[in-house]
Amino acid sequence: MARPYICLLALPAVLLLGIAIISRSQGLRGEKHPSAPRIPSQFSQEERFTMKEALKGAIQIPTVSFSPKELNTTALAEFREYIRKVFPTLFKTSFIQHEIVGEYSHLFTIHGSDPSLQPYMLIAHIDVVPAPEEGWDVPPFSGLERDGFIYGRGTLDNKNSLMGILQALELLLIRNYVPQRSFFIALGHDEEVSGINGAQKMSALLQARGVHLAFIVDEGSFILEDIIPNLKNPFAMVSVTEKGSINLMLQVNMTPGHSSVPPKETSIGILAAAVSRLEQTPMPNMFADGPVMTALQELADEFSFPTNLVLSNLWLFRPLVSRLLERSFVTNALVRTTVALTMFNAGVKANVIAPVAQALVNFRIHPAQTVQEVLKLAKDIVADDRVQFHVLYAFDPPPVSPFDDQALGYQLLRQTIRSVFPEVNHVVPGICVGNTDSRHFLNLTSAIYLFNPVYINSQGFLTLHGLNEKISVQAYEMQVKFIFEFIQNADTDPRPDPHVHEL
Ligand SMILES: *[C@@H]1O[C@H](CO)[C@@H](O)[C@H](O)[C@H]1NC(C)=O
Ligand SMILES: *[C@@H]1O[C@H](CO)[C@@H](O)[C@H](O)[C@H]1NC(C)=O
């Protein structure tokens, strides 16, 4: 996941309306197309050993993205050979087409037997953020196993997904599985630094081929454990949107002069006051317009008194809860567009009035707002025409993907979570605070879900892009099992038949 990595509690609203107008029917749609016998997700000792060794090997290849222009292309080339070596069946299967895009990204097309079913896509990324050795218990690219955990950069972000997807498919193919529904696997190589040469090129290629996807599943959220104080059980969060972003450069120009006869205001003073106003004036709280609200309502019964009462009566307690969420900087990021002052440059000499002062401000846009709206608000807050606004980079938050009863991707995820992790009582929609490669595929689908089938707690969050990133061997096996089940589930259709009104 690109920085900032946290895809936290973004708990979107359930479209109760959607649920209300659909009458439940007994049968699943998928049962209308009888499918091949289900392949059980049971793996032999030898397969389990091979799968964890394959993950370790992937961690050992330092596919680091240092900056948009500086990727370890030697490692990326090595990785290309590596996946061929560890997943031989996948590469020799006749109904799977493999293409290299942008030199190092991989696009697999798995042709299903039933062309009437709309295809879907699984996304993961090859690159990782840098990991200086200092502070790690084991070297970050060693892939060492300790106390049941595999350590290393990429064990959670995101080689676990990447290897998990290919591993699950390899194991299915060994068991002679042939999918009914076609799907794509897109593995980008520059996700951590934009996705412009990987994901974006794969998307363009598929757009040129006229592909439309039923849905996409990418990294993003997790099964959350011990993240919200007082919440009794773990719950799964499937993010249905992510935040937008703006890199805005503010600039003040002035005629240079001597510091012995200073003007009343300097470029530095004017700019400092402007950025200070931006920092001190929060963007509006969008709690009521976002996913967070209804997901909290869904989770209400998981809390003890009085939180359960408060969350089940948000019609009354909404102002209270929205203010409480503002208090922690983590939950604050879920309810509003955030403003971060990240760079400030001015001055050339101790006795010269700076001719130019520049500051860089990074906004992360709440899904209920747009780039234009945020820029307008920022201009009103700065309220000084001497401060120029230069947008360096900006994108709107993607639309919220559907998560009602008729949302195929969401329902397939829900079904698979329920069967693979029966202890998880709630699957709630969320907002991802970071960004993923999936946003490059918006033209191909209106249903993008961000979910990594792995447990994570608050400590685990700190390891993403941080020290001692690790995954337990058992968690990785569960990840492979999840994808193994998910791919098979995607051949059926878990949605209830929509109620058809007879006229
Ligand atoms: C790039 O990857 C190769 C292995 O493929 C490794 O030997 C080399 O040290 C890496 N370079 C950097 C700068 O990390
Ligand atoms: C999406 O499609 C539009 C219209 O064809 C095109 O202009 C735009 O570049 C596409 N966006 C992406 C991210 O591919």
Side-chain angles (χ1 to χ4, degrees):
M1 213 179 311
R3 276 170 271 194
Y5 45 82
I6 319 176
C7 252
L8 271 182
L9 319 176
L11 317 166
V14 167
L15 301 176
L16 291 169
L17 185 67
I19 294 168
I21 57 168
I22 291 153
S23 73
R24 290 201 159 267
S25 70
Q26 295 293 326
L28 299 177
R29 285 183 191 174
E31 290 168 5
K32 284 182 292 196
H33 315 269
S35 49
R38 181 113 192 155
I39 305 170
S41 51
Q42 280 153 8
F43 312 125
S44 69
Q45 281 298 334
E46 195 192 330
E47 283 170 335
R48 291 169 57 204
F49 180 79
T50 313
M51 74 171 81
K52 79 173 178 184
E53 293 306 310
L55 177 63
K56 290 178 192 172
I59 300 299
Q60 286 161 7
I61 305 173
T63 48
V64 177
S65 287
F66 295 97
S67 74
K69 293 214 162 69
E70 209 187 333
L71 314 182
N72 189 335
T73 50
T74 317
L76 288 168
E78 195 181 317
F79 202 84
R80 193 164 59 198
E81 299 314 311
Y82 181 71
I83 56 173
R84 279 185 186 282
K85 189 180 89 190
V86 291
F87 304 119
T89 317
L90 202 161
F91 281 89
K92 62 169 201 254
T93 295
S94 60
F95 57 81
I96 298 181
Q97 181 190 354
H98 170 240
E99 292 165 276
I100 289 174
V101 181
E103 268 182 272
Y104 304 106
S105 286
H106 298 260
L107 178 65
F108 296 88
T109 308
I110 297 94
H111 295 278
S113 58
D114 184 349
S116 75
L117 297 173
Q118 198 179 18
Y120 65 99
M121 176 183 273
L122 303 175
I123 298 181
H125 62 91
I126 304 169
D127 63 326
V128 296
V129 294
E133 281 202 17
E134 206 179 351
W136 282 72
D137 292 346
V138 305
F141 296 102
S142 63
L144 275 178
E145 186 179 337
R146 261 199 198 173
D147 303 326
F149 284 85
I150 299 169
Y151 279 72
R153 178 60 83 232
T155 47
L156 287 174
D157 181 11
N158 180 242
K159 284 177 176 164
N160 59 321
S161 292
L162 184 150
M163 295 299 285
I165 292 167
L166 299 182
Q167 185 70 68
L169 182 55
E170 176 82 6
L171 289 165
L172 280 165
L173 295 170
I174 290 171
R175 289 156 170 77
N176 298 315
Y177 170 74
V178 180
Q180 291 175 41
R181 187 189 296 275
S182 297
F183 62 104
F184 297 89
I185 299 173
L187 309 176
H189 70 273
D190 60 348
E191 191 272 352
E192 297 290 1
V193 289
S194 74
I196 284 170
N197 286 308
Q200 203 172 87
K201 285 189 176 160
M202 292 191 278
S203 174
L205 185 69
L206 294 176
Q207 286 177 56
R209 289 178 190 165
V211 169
H212 290 282
L213 300 170
F215 63 88
I216 286 175
V217 181
D218 195 358
E219 62 168 340
S221 303
F222 297 87
I223 301 175
L224 304 174
E225 196 178 26
D226 301 332
I227 294 235
I228 304 184
N230 304 322
L231 192 64
K232 293 175 222 152
N233 299 305
F235 65 97
M237 194 175 79
V238 174
S239 284
V240 292
T241 183
E242 56 186 56
K243 285 185 114 179
S245 185
I246 307 173
N247 277 341
L248 176 67
M249 193 180 70
L250 299 179
Q251 182 167 327
V252 178
N253 292 340
M254 264 214 166
T255 322
H258 200 277
S259 64
S260 55
V261 282
K264 194 154 167 280
E265 284 179 291
T266 58
S267 57
I268 293 179
I270 294 166
L271 187 64
V275 295
S276 173
R277 281 195 291 279
L278 274 178
E279 193 169 63
Q280 299 299 321
T281 320
M283 292 277 158
N285 185 321
M286 311 300 282
F287 177 57
D289 297 315
V292 179
M293 187 161 102
T294 319
L296 282 181
Q297 284 170 324
E298 276 193 60
L299 289 171
D301 66 356
E302 289 283 315
F303 289 90
S304 48
F305 182 82
T307 314
N308 55 355
L309 186 83
V310 168
L311 295 180
S312 339
N313 292 285
L314 285 177
W315 60 274
L316 179 61
F317 295 113
R318 202 181 74 198
L320 172 74
V321 173
S322 75
R323 276 201 305 276
L324 285 176
L325 290 169
E326 290 181 352
R327 285 208 189 159
S328 129
F329 65 92
V330 174
T331 45
N332 183 51
L334 296 175
V335 297
R336 63 158 44 91
T337 295
T338 54
V339 180
L341 314 178
T342 52
M343 290 167 82
F344 200 106
N345 293 309
V348 284
K349 203 164 178 289
N351 60 359
V352 175
I353 302 298
V356 184
Q358 291 180 327
L360 216 133
V361 188
N362 179 239
F363 297 84
R364 298 294 174 135
I365 308 170
H366 186 278
Q369 291 181 315
T370 63
V371 170
Q372 288 316 317
E373 284 165 11
V374 170
L375 287 174
K376 166 95 181 46
L377 285 167
K379 278 216 167 88
D380 291 346
I381 293 168
V382 167
D384 187 338
D385 289 340
R386 295 170 297 179
V387 181
Q388 302 164 19
F389 275 50
H390 300 286
V391 176
L392 302 184
Y393 178 67
F395 55 90
D396 284 319
V400 174
S401 300
F403 50 93
D404 58 290
D405 267 18
Q406 290 301 304
L408 177 64
Y410 192 79
Q411 292 308 327
L412 284 169
L413 282 168
R414 197 185 173 92
Q415 175 195 20
T416 315
I417 293 166
R418 290 260 158 94
S419 71
V420 177
F421 303 99
E423 70 285 4
V424 171
N425 296 329
H426 290 274
V427 178
V428 299
I431 300 173
C432 188
V433 179
N435 295 117
T436 66
D437 260 351
S438 68
R439 69 195 161 86
H440 296 295
F441 294 87
L442 283 169
N443 277 355
L444 292 165
T445 184
S446 56
I448 296 180
Y449 303 104
L450 309 174
F451 180 66
N452 213 335
V454 178
Y455 273 83
I456 199 158
N457 56 24
S458 9
Q459 270 188 324
F461 266 118
L462 299 176
T463 70
L464 294 164
H465 292 208
L467 298 175
N468 290 320
E469 186 179 342
K470 61 181 186 288
I471 190 169
S472 75
V473 172
Q474 193 216 358
Y476 182 61
E477 281 176 15
M478 291 304 280
Q479 174 144 30
V480 173
K481 181 182 168 78
F482 182 92
I483 301 159
F484 191 98
E485 290 287 341
F486 185 87
I487 292 173
Q488 293 191 80
N489 286 342
D491 284 333
T492 65
D493 191 335
R495 297 173 296 180
D497 277 323
H499 179 73
V500 180
H501 285 283
E502 279 161 34
L503 297 174

